[in-house]
Amino acid sequence: MESIEAIIQQQQLAGKLFGGFFGLEVEQHRVLTNGKLSRHPYPAAFSSRRHNPYLKTDFCDNMFELVAPPVQGATAAVQNLKYLQQIVNDHLAADERIWPLSIMAPLSADDLAFATTFNTRQWMADYHDYLGAKYGIARELMAGVHVNFSLHRDLIAALFAASGQSDLAAFKNHLYFRLAQGFVAHRWLFTYLFGASPVLANPLKGMPDNLAFPVRSLRSSDFGYTNFSSETITYSSLGAQLDQLKRFVAEGKFYSLHEFYGPVRLKSRGANSDDLIAHGTERLEFRAFDLDPLSRAGISNDTLNFLEVFLAYWLVADQEADLTEADEKNQAVALQHPHQEFDWTKERGLALLDDLDAFVAKYGAPKEYQAALLFARRRLEDPRLTIGGQLIDKADPDGGLLSYGLKIANSHHDWYKSMAYPLQPTIATYPAPAQELIKAAIELGIKAKVTQNSFALILGDHQEQYAANQAFDLTNGAKQAVLATFPEQVNYTDQVDQVQV
């Protein structure tokens, strides 16, 4: 097989290098205006969390999990997340806000006890209890952003056709695992640039007493949201990783494959490793990103653009990932004071940025990717400009971030509540009735596919197509209008039955 770089140049595929798709999942807590865990129930306006593709909860009912559908490019992905944020903010109680940080505000023993039992997803009760007992409630309350990324299908198809190989699934697995290895090898740089969990208000199970705060990213460290060191899954090869996962599940060390908390996971159509072998990787799920309180969505365009540039570069680069001491490097950076920087971090980071600058110039990347690299360069030159570096400048006298967190929570809440239209962050050009209909569909768990001038609502095999500017009868409200068209939605309930985890 010719080099990937040669194939891209010969077939003029440079434009596809920067045409990846992002699907974002964000975890965020509902808190009261004093920072305590909200006791309010999950919003009644939202339909079954088992079936709603967008609006769910995670460990406890006050911990939202918002799932934005995959779209091309960082800008559209962040906008998708913002319209879910707007919907959520519309349904908060008057004394509720969305906590903007990965690490929770100080919680009382009553708060922690409440979080232990505040879970009405009864079909997940056993798994919920297992995780709480094994890792501790405070660790399970850590929040973050999962970034799902897939290469452009045309790019994969062209590379596969030129490879001379016959097994597409194996080809995709090889391609995506190489990207995963590249990310793991350079995770220290992503932690440096985007780490944003510098303090800890609620002690974690198994954390050493002598850990000095502030740090850059507790969540990204070995003491954060990760598996125990005795249960580490490696990235030496895909075969070895799958063997480890199967063994851990068989031996009862992991409840299921979902318990693998590595920084990046390969995802296929199904939920088990057999699906991965049979169908190949569909996307990578990056789990190493803290919530970014500087972004109303929880993650910024620049972060996603930087990730995509790095992955495109690593796809083309003819080099193997050096995983030697990768975990140790990330641990050192994660636990470093946010205003400090190792000499090797700056030296290696700037050298990589030089390569990335040359790469985007060679392949004519759009200007937003160049801007993301400039943003990263400034942060490497001055650690005070990193997210963690900025956060600790906002700390309370006791070193915590309660005041700052509540200030940002209120600011974000006010911004979303000030929107003049139901889904303003994404489709402000749509007439209000169309936005109302789409919003109601999302709340009911019906998929919405939106283009510039039309949209489709989809539930199972039932699909309805609409023009954005057509007349809608919303006399009885948008939700009733949707239910009149999709009466089968009432059967989508949260009743308890056996669910594979």
Coordinates of all heavy atoms in Angstrom, one line a residue, residues 73 80 152 191 220 231 268 344 365 400 430 442 456 465 490 501:
G73 N -17.9 19.0 11.5 CA -17.2 20.3 11.9 C -17.5 20.7 13.3 O -18.6 20.4 13.9
N80 N -25.0 22.3 18.1 CA -25.9 21.3 18.5 C -26.0 21.1 20.0 O -27.1 20.9 20.6 CB -25.5 19.9 17.8 CG -26.1 19.7 16.5 OD1 -26.8 20.6 16.0 ND2 -25.8 18.6 15.9
H152 N -14.2 11.3 7.7 CA -15.1 11.4 6.5 C -15.2 10.0 5.8 O -14.1 9.4 5.5 CB -14.6 12.5 5.6 CG -15.7 12.9 4.6 ND1 -16.2 12.1 3.6 CD2 -16.4 14.1 4.5 CE1 -17.1 12.8 2.9 NE2 -17.3 14.0 3.5
T191 N -4.0 17.4 28.1 CA -4.3 17.7 29.5 C -3.7 19.1 29.9 O -4.4 19.9 30.6 CB -3.6 16.7 30.4 OG1 -4.2 15.4 30.1 CG2 -3.8 17.0 31.9
S220 N -8.2 14.1 35.0 CA -7.4 13.5 34.0 C -6.2 12.7 34.6 O -5.4 12.1 33.9 CB -6.9 14.5 33.0 OG -7.9 15.1 32.3
E231 N -6.1 -2.4 37.2 CA -7.0 -2.8 36.2 C -6.8 -2.0 34.9 O -7.8 -1.7 34.2 CB -8.5 -2.7 36.6 CG -8.7 -3.6 37.8 CD -10.1 -3.4 38.4 OE1 -10.8 -2.5 38.1 OE2 -10.5 -4.2 39.3
S268 N -18.2 0.7 17.9 CA -18.7 0.1 16.7 C -20.3 0.2 16.7 O -20.8 1.0 17.6 CB -18.3 -1.4 16.6 OG -18.8 -1.9 15.4
W344 N 10.2 20.1 29.2 CA 10.0 19.2 28.2 C 8.6 19.4 27.6 O 8.4 19.2 26.4 CB 10.2 17.8 28.6 CG 9.2 17.3 29.7 CD1 9.4 17.3 31.0 CD2 7.9 16.7 29.4 NE1 8.3 16.7 31.7 CE2 7.3 16.4 30.7 CE3 7.1 16.5 28.3 CZ2 6.1 15.8 30.9 CZ3 5.9 15.9 28.5 CH2 5.3 15.6 29.7
A365 N -5.7 23.9 5.1 CA -6.7 23.8 6.1 C -7.4 25.1 6.3 O -6.8 26.2 6.2 CB -6.2 23.3 7.4
G400 N -11.0 27.2 46.9 CA -12.1 26.5 46.2 C -12.6 27.4 45.1 O -12.2 28.5 44.9
Y430 N -34.8 29.9 11.4 CA -36.1 29.2 11.2 C -37.2 30.1 11.9 O -36.9 30.7 12.9 CB -36.0 27.9 12.0 CG -35.7 26.7 11.1 CD1 -34.6 26.8 10.2 CD2 -36.3 25.5 11.2 CE1 -34.3 25.7 9.4 CE2 -36.0 24.4 10.4 CZ -34.9 24.5 9.5 OH -34.6 23.4 8.8
I442 N -37.7 17.0 20.3 CA -36.5 16.6 21.1 C -36.9 16.2 22.5 O -36.4 15.2 23.0 CB -35.5 17.7 21.0 CG1 -34.9 17.9 19.6 CG2 -34.3 17.5 22.0 CD1 -34.1 19.1 19.4
A456 N -36.6 16.9 9.3 CA -37.4 15.7 9.3 C -37.5 15.3 10.8 O -36.5 15.5 11.6 CB -36.7 14.6 8.5
Q465 N -41.4 14.7 6.9 CA -40.6 15.8 6.4 C -41.4 17.1 6.3 O -42.6 17.1 6.0 CB -40.1 15.4 5.0 CG -39.1 16.3 4.4 CD -37.7 16.0 4.9 OE1 -37.4 14.9 5.3 NE2 -36.9 17.0 5.0
V490 N -46.1 7.5 22.9 CA -46.6 7.3 24.2 C -46.2 5.9 24.8 O -46.2 5.7 26.0 CB -48.1 7.5 24.3 CG1 -48.6 8.9 24.0 CG2 -48.9 6.4 23.5
V501 N -25.9 -3.9 30.2 CA -25.0 -2.8 30.4 C -23.6 -3.1 29.9 O -23.1 -4.2 30.0 CB -24.9 -2.5 31.9 CG1 -23.9 -1.3 32.1 CG2 -26.3 -2.1 32.5

